[in-house]
Amino acid sequence: MNLKFNEIKLIIWDLDETFWAGTLSEEGIQIIPDNLELLKRMAECGVISSICSKNDFEPTEKALKDNNIDRYFVFKSINWESKGSRVKNIITSMGLRPCNVLFIDDNLSNLNEAKHFLS
């Protein structure tokens, strides 16, 4: 894959063990400072961020609000369904092409599933 960062218009973040350390439904979370800085810097440059996370919506939304970062994310997909179709739906809803999107997830099967749905 030949990623061109200057063409990225959307970042889709997984949350548990990716955007933040820890698992929300288990031991709690700690936002990774470098990810928070990246989120804010990308927003300043006009890059939009979204979420595709396997979590319960209400506690996740509360964690985002408690950390004052909920305003940085649009088209949030927070539920327990498989991620491939959800990533595709986010991209389609925003009218973007997959080549302009970066999906960040710690789970290789989620990344491969998204790749499958987008090819």
Side-chain angles (χ1 to χ4, degrees):
M1 176 163 89
N2 191 9
L3 185 63
K4 297 177 183 173
F5 286 99
N6 61 332
E7 295 180 6
I8 298 297
K9 297 178 181 179
L10 171 67
I11 300 173
I12 301 175
W13 295 88
D14 171 49
L15 296 176
D16 292 342
E17 300 299 346
T18 302
F19 184 77
W20 54 49
T23 303
L24 185 63
S25 64
E26 294 175 7
E27 70 275 358
I29 54 141
Q30 181 71 34
I31 293 179
I32 299 168
D34 287 344
N35 290 343
L36 181 58
E37 179 66 21
L38 178 62
L39 176 74
K40 291 178 178 180
R41 291 187 71 186
M42 293 294 96
E44 289 171 3
C45 296
V47 176
I48 300 166
S49 285
S50 184
I51 294 171
C52 188
S53 176
K54 287 185 178 179
N55 268 305
D56 292 318
F57 184 83
E58 290 81 13
T60 305
E61 189 70 16
K62 182 180 180 330
L64 295 169
K65 287 180 181 174
D66 288 350
N67 287 284
N68 200 29
I69 57 173
D70 59 309
R71 69 181 185 273
Y72 289 101
F73 298 101
V74 298
F75 292 94
K76 301 172 199 165
S77 181
I78 303 166
N79 60 55
W80 294 97
E81 296 172 18
S82 62
K83 290 188 178 182
S85 61
R86 294 194 291 145
V87 167
K88 182 177 181 178
N89 288 339
I90 292 169
I91 293 169
T92 302
S93 296
M94 294 192 66
L96 296 174
R97 297 177 302 148
C99 63
N100 298 118
V101 178
L102 178 61
F103 175 39
I104 303 174
D105 195 302
D106 66 313
N107 185 314
L108 184 58
S109 28
N110 289 333
L111 295 170
N112 287 330
E113 181 183 347
K115 193 181 300 183
H116 169 75
F117 272 85
L118 294 167
S119 55

